[in-house]
Amino acid sequence: MTNPAISALAEAIGDRHVQTGDDIEPRFRTDLRGTLHAAPLCVVRPGSTEDVSAVMRIATAHHIPVTTQGGRTNTVRGAMSAETGIVLSLDRMTRIDDLDIKSMTLTVQAGAPLQMVQEAAAEAGFLVPLDLGSRGSATIGGVISTNAGGLRAVRWGVAREMVLGLEAVLADGTVADGLKKMLKDNAGYDWKHLMIGSEGTLGVVTRATLRLRPMPATTMTAFCALQSFDDVYDLLRDLDRDMGGQITSFELMWPELYHLVLDHYPERTAPLPRTFPLYVLVEAMGGDPAGDPARFEAALGTAIESKLVIDAVIAQSERERADLWAFREDIGLPMRAKGPMYAFDVGVGLSDIPETVRRTVAAVRTDYPDAFILTYGHAGDGNLHFVIGVGEYNDAAERRVDLAVFGAVKAARGSISAEHGIGLAKRDDLHFSRRPGEIALMRTLKRALDPDNILNPGKVINMDETFTGPVVA
Amino acid sequence: MTNPAISALAEAIGDRHVQTGDDIEPRFRTDLRGTLHAAPLCVVRPGSTEDVSAVMRIATAHHIPVTTQGGRTNTVRGAMSAETGIVLSLDRMTRIDDLDIKSMTLTVQAGAPLQMVQEAAAEAGFLVPLDLGSRGSATIGGVISTNAGGLRAVRWGVAREMVLGLEAVLADGTVADGLKKMLKDNAGYDWKHLMIGSEGTLGVVTRATLRLRPMPATTMTAFCALQSFDDVYDLLRDLDRDMGGQITSFELMWPELYHLVLDHYPERTAPLPRTFPLYVLVEAMGGDPAGDPARFEAALGTAIESKLVIDAVIAQSERERADLWAFREDIGLPMRAKGPMYAFDVGVGLSDIPETVRRTVAAVRTDYPDAFILTYGHAGDGNLHFVIGVGEYNDAAERRVDLAVFGAVKAARGSISAEHGIGLAKRDDLHFSRRPGEIALMRTLKRALDPDNILNPGKVINMDETFTGPVVA
């Protein structure tokens, strides 16, 4: 180890926790798609907040970029390091420091996988409302740093809403210790929200205190058919009103996706005919096993009477519930079977969804009249997913499809990334959803918190002041 | 008008919207207690975001401090200007730009009173969950800039949780336009949370898009007696679990306060005997008029069976509900009748409440064995209010009481201001609830966003680097 920075790191956190050269495990260089990226200068695996602080002090002293890694389930290349950088893996920091059932909080190190935390809370009778498909790999630090969203945001919000207290290490190694358990704190600036969702570019999240909820006793799930998108607004409002705020998921599926899944899994029974214009999977959670199912059925009954819903099935068992969710969740294989696709995760106001879909489809079909377009999403959150196949898969095609989608999003003042983040993949398209004053403010914040630009540099925001957005032909 | 800055302001936003000298209306110099403060250089009353931007450009050019005023209901002298400063009043900016019932959002200028916004939403069938006693005066910009809390945070969170999009004007006049309607947006840094709760020291909030909820159909209210604080944890958890997350308020009252109100209003009927060690006012809101009251009664019945509650009354009418709330809300007159008191608004984890109360009482009684101490609060949020009378009312006595309370808060890693903010009054005590790394980070943020220190200078944070906290004997 002749590199003085590497020597200093080995000295600070222990030789065996610093990997270099051929000793670097492939997992630290592999992204979600399995692509092996160039090896970084080194991988460090701190065991404590103090270790992370030491790493950042050394990185600052030697001007070396630092990219923090959690579960690497990120889709926007947010956790991939440069060859000249340090990969800071939190995979040794998985300790639950405190499960306070009186305060209904859980304090945990950032490297703990979400599922581990969910299970610890469940054992004590509590729910961690945040849930997503990658729960087994995604870490608490990762879901916080990317402000993960998931399937229950309409009721309990995104990751941000679950974080009561946060500890983070700043660029120069300063530990900002904001761990706390109360719901209300107006003593000074709420800097934690700046860390949440900033993808490791403003600081390294090391520990968090999460708010827990009493574990719901009931889950009611229905799959409904709608006559038109016009009915979505009233349906969501009425169901949430009638269920007294207990709607946890409101997932829209356009028919193309439903057909795709049905066709791919012919052995599965279709819960509803394939002929309807729109489908929605609704779930509610409550606390009254004796009364909740009837309340849910009555709320749906009212919706059917008022023609907001034209057909519906309610799951009568956990098995039936899983079967309904399978039409929403088992979409990966059917999609991949259709060939390479471009996937999008955008956000718009609920009232802007129809026009955003219309514009996107029209723009894509201008270039690709036969394009295959799937639309679905967490509609209750204004979160839409597009999956688009155009018959070719190359940079130019990707860019054309990007511009079609992002143009529609911009017209609706929407977000080009509702829950996946920006990372490297979408950095230079940030201008489609943020106005110049916002971009300027973000640059100011980045410069202030990371003056040497060593925290995951190149991600989230283009710091070149002359860059004012991509050239759009 | 010989002052060039005043001339420039008059030119920019109109002569009649700039008040100077004796023309300054007293309301702009008067705080919540009715104290008339020194007149500022001038009062400006912009009519639009563009006007606010012009004011900030002029203020920056002339290095003049700017203090933004909403409803001036603030208790920590956060909205009082220096004699050399501009008071920026948003009282002309009260327009509701957009009530989008499809997206369930409302976009409004910052000067609109909270109550006006609540009423506009209610007319369309929606609830603005944020509610507080000063709703008629407090403005949207004010509740956002101070991150107001209130009575329903345990269910719907504080002001922060209701803000989907924000528009703010920065120190140099830049407009950061982050208005949007979706629940999920992970495209870049969430700078709005830095503005929320920063009391006008990082920017001027000019417009906001709020999330609305379907108006609840039912409200159930109960007043309960508990045997001991030890039962609070299980009671809150069990009630919220049994009501499926519909508990909206969970307000604790120690018996001294209950007795004080009963004694002050002898004509009122006591809902419960005065002999119990602790009282809690519980409220839930739901969507099922046919079933909710029985569910609420059953949940309370379970609590009585398990001895978590030893006596309870449930309001059977809106009138009875108001009567129960009166024991929580009509506390001002009875308190004032006991002579001058020091009031506190602190936050700690729920599990830390008993020890915080014990420490506070012990510390106050060390100096003042006969001190009169009232304790109550939004316990579901970890938010405690102390009202303390010690028989003398002067700076030295106030400081002794401050130190007693803040010392107890610090021991619990709590907040010296759960919902009232810091302003000028608590600025130099910020160190009791924020660690040095946090204070350093806050200073970095203030310097970055307000390099000339013209945004409400002197409030929230002491920018003197040599100040590391008050001297505590």
Side-chain angles (χ1 to χ4, degrees), chain A residues 100 102-104 126 146-150 153-155 158 160-161 170 174-191 193-195 197-199 201-202 211 213-215 233 236-237 240-246 285-288 292 295 347-352 378 380-383 413-422 430 433-435 437-438 441-442 444-446 448-449 460-461, chain B residues 100 102-104 126 146-150 153-155 158 160-161 170 174-191 193-195 197-199 201-202 211 213-215 233 236-237 240-246 285-288 292 295 347-352 378 380-383 413-422 430 433-435 437-438 441-442 444-446 448-449 460-461:
Chain A
D100 180 347
K102 292 180 172 179
S103 299
M104 297 194 259
F126 294 100
T146 60
N147 188 30
V154 70
R155 168 117 174 235
V158 293
R160 182 181 301 288
E161 272 81 38
L170 307 182
T174 297
V175 178
D177 171 2
L179 292 177
K180 58 194 171 194
K181 296 180 177 181
M182 54 279 186
L183 269 60
K184 286 180 178 165
D185 179 16
N186 283 346
Y189 307 148
D190 202 341
W191 59 265
H193 283 295
L194 207 50
M195 297 293 159
S198 66
E199 306 181 35
T201 65
L202 301 179
R211 181 182 183 186
R213 308 280 181 155
M215 183 64 77
Y233 314 112
L236 174 60
R237 186 201 56 212
D240 202 40
R241 184 194 59 207
D242 293 349
M243 290 305 294
Q246 294 176 330
M285 293 184 178
D288 177 18
D292 286 345
R295 245 178 349 117
V348 295
L350 195 53
S351 62
D352 291 312
H378 319 298
D381 319 327
N383 186 180
R413 296 182 70 93
S415 173
I416 60 165
S417 184
E419 54 180 9
H420 290 177
I422 294 297
L430 190 59
S433 53
R434 296 294 200 151
R435 263 69 61 188
E438 293 191 281
L441 175 51
M442 290 182 204
T444 299
L445 291 167
K446 171 71 172 173
L449 267 64
V460 181
I461 186 150
Chain B
D100 181 348
K102 292 180 173 178
S103 299
M104 297 193 261
F126 294 100
T146 60
N147 188 32
V154 68
R155 168 113 176 240
V158 293
R160 182 182 301 287
E161 272 81 38
L170 307 183
T174 297
V175 178
D177 172 3
L179 292 176
K180 58 194 173 194
K181 297 180 176 179
M182 54 278 187
L183 270 60
K184 285 181 180 164
D185 179 16
N186 283 345
Y189 306 148
D190 202 340
W191 59 266
H193 283 295
L194 207 49
M195 297 293 159
S198 66
E199 305 182 35
T201 64
L202 300 178
R211 181 181 184 187
R213 307 281 180 156
M215 183 65 75
Y233 315 111
L236 174 60
R237 185 201 56 211
D240 202 40
R241 183 194 59 207
D242 293 350
M243 290 305 294
Q246 293 176 330
M285 293 185 179
D288 177 18
D292 286 345
R295 243 179 349 115
V348 295
L350 195 52
S351 62
D352 291 312
H378 319 298
D381 319 326
N383 186 179
R413 295 182 70 95
S415 172
I416 61 164
S417 184
E419 55 180 10
H420 290 176
I422 294 296
L430 190 58
S433 53
R434 296 293 202 153
R435 262 69 59 191
E438 293 190 280
L441 175 51
M442 289 182 203
T444 298
L445 291 168
K446 171 72 174 173
L449 266 65
V460 182
I461 186 152

Side-chain angles (χ1 to χ4, degrees), chain B residues 180-249:
Chain B
K180 58 194 173 194
K181 297 180 176 179
M182 54 278 187
L183 270 60
K184 285 181 180 164
D185 179 16
N186 283 345
Y189 306 148
D190 202 340
W191 59 266
K192 74 170 181 288
H193 283 295
L194 207 49
M195 297 293 159
I196 299 171
S198 66
E199 305 182 35
T201 64
L202 300 178
V204 179
V205 171
T206 47
R207 287 197 290 169
T209 299
L210 307 178
R211 181 181 184 187
L212 307 177
R213 307 281 180 156
M215 183 65 75
T218 64
T219 302
M220 288 77 63
T221 310
F223 192 60
C224 310
L226 276 64
Q227 193 63 61
S228 140
F229 195 94
D230 289 343
D231 296 327
V232 165
Y233 315 111
D234 288 351
L235 179 62
L236 174 60
R237 185 201 56 211
D238 287 1
L239 286 180
D240 202 40
R241 183 194 59 207
D242 293 350
M243 290 305 294
Q246 293 176 330
I247 298 295
T248 45
S249 299

Side-chain angles (χ1 to χ4, degrees), chain B residues 380-412:
Chain B
D381 319 326
N383 186 179
L384 270 187
H385 295 302
F386 292 114
V387 177
I388 300 173
V390 298
E392 54 174 339
Y393 198 71
N394 55 53
D395 287 353
E398 180 168 20
R399 195 60 196 153
R400 276 190 286 272
V401 179
D402 277 357
L403 293 178
V405 176
F406 294 162
V409 168
K410 184 173 183 177

Side-chain angles (χ1 to χ4, degrees), chain A residues 93-356:
Chain A
M93 291 174 60
T94 61
R95 192 181 61 235
I96 293 177
D97 285 327
D98 177 31
L99 173 48
D100 180 347
I101 61 168
K102 292 180 172 179
S103 299
M104 297 194 259
T105 61
L106 186 151
T107 302
V108 62
Q109 287 184 310
L114 174 60
Q115 186 170 349
M116 174 187 139
V117 172
Q118 289 174 331
E119 288 171 358
E123 200 154 318
F126 294 100
L127 176 76
V128 177
L130 185 72
D131 193 33
L132 29 116
S134 55
R135 66 185 73 82
S137 310
T139 62
I140 291 299
V143 299
I144 290 173
S145 297
T146 60
N147 188 30
L151 300 165
R152 300 173 186 154
V154 70
R155 168 117 174 235
W156 285 295
V158 293
R160 182 181 301 288
E161 272 81 38
M162 285 157 231
V163 181
L164 295 178
L166 198 71
E167 180 190 77
V169 175
L170 307 182
D172 65 0
T174 297
V175 178
D177 171 2
L179 292 177
K180 58 194 171 194
K181 296 180 177 181
M182 54 279 186
L183 269 60
K184 286 180 178 165
D185 179 16
N186 283 346
Y189 307 148
D190 202 341
W191 59 265
K192 75 171 181 286
H193 283 295
L194 207 50
M195 297 293 159
I196 300 171
S198 66
E199 306 181 35
T201 65
L202 301 179
V204 180
V205 171
T206 46
R207 285 196 291 170
T209 299
L210 307 177
R211 181 182 183 186
L212 308 177
R213 308 280 181 155
M215 183 64 77
T218 63
T219 303
M220 289 75 66
T221 311
F223 192 60
C224 310
L226 276 65
Q227 193 65 59
S228 139
F229 194 94
D230 291 341
D231 296 327
V232 165
Y233 314 112
D234 288 351
L235 179 62
L236 174 60
R237 186 201 56 212
D238 289 1
L239 287 179
D240 202 40
R241 184 194 59 207
D242 293 349
M243 290 305 294
Q246 294 176 330
I247 299 296
T248 45
S249 299
F250 191 87
E251 301 285 316
L252 281 189
M253 285 174 73
W254 273 252
E256 292 79 3
L257 181 62
Y258 185 49
H259 300 169
L260 183 74
V261 179
L262 282 176
D263 292 345
H264 192 86
Y265 298 105
E267 73 283 9
R268 297 194 187 173
T269 310
L272 290 177
R274 4 186 342 143
T275 49
F276 295 115
L278 195 63
Y279 299 88
V280 58
L281 183 68
V282 183
E283 195 159 271
M285 293 184 178
D288 177 18
D292 286 345
R295 245 178 349 117
F296 187 67
E297 210 175 312
L300 272 180
T302 305
I304 289 171
E305 273 167 42
S306 55
K307 308 255 192 286
L308 295 176
V309 167
I310 48 177
D311 202 352
V313 287
I314 298 179
Q316 302 298 333
S317 65
E318 184 54 34
R319 169 68 186 276
E320 285 184 24
R321 175 177 172 260
D323 285 348
L324 291 184
W325 272 102
F327 284 93
R328 169 65 182 80
E329 293 202 318
D330 296 352
I331 58 185
L333 283 179
M335 281 177 182
R336 277 191 284 279
K338 299 290 283 190
M341 303 255 189
Y342 302 109
F344 296 87
D345 157 52
V346 307
V348 295
L350 195 53
S351 62
D352 291 312
I353 287 182
E355 179 65 9
T356 304

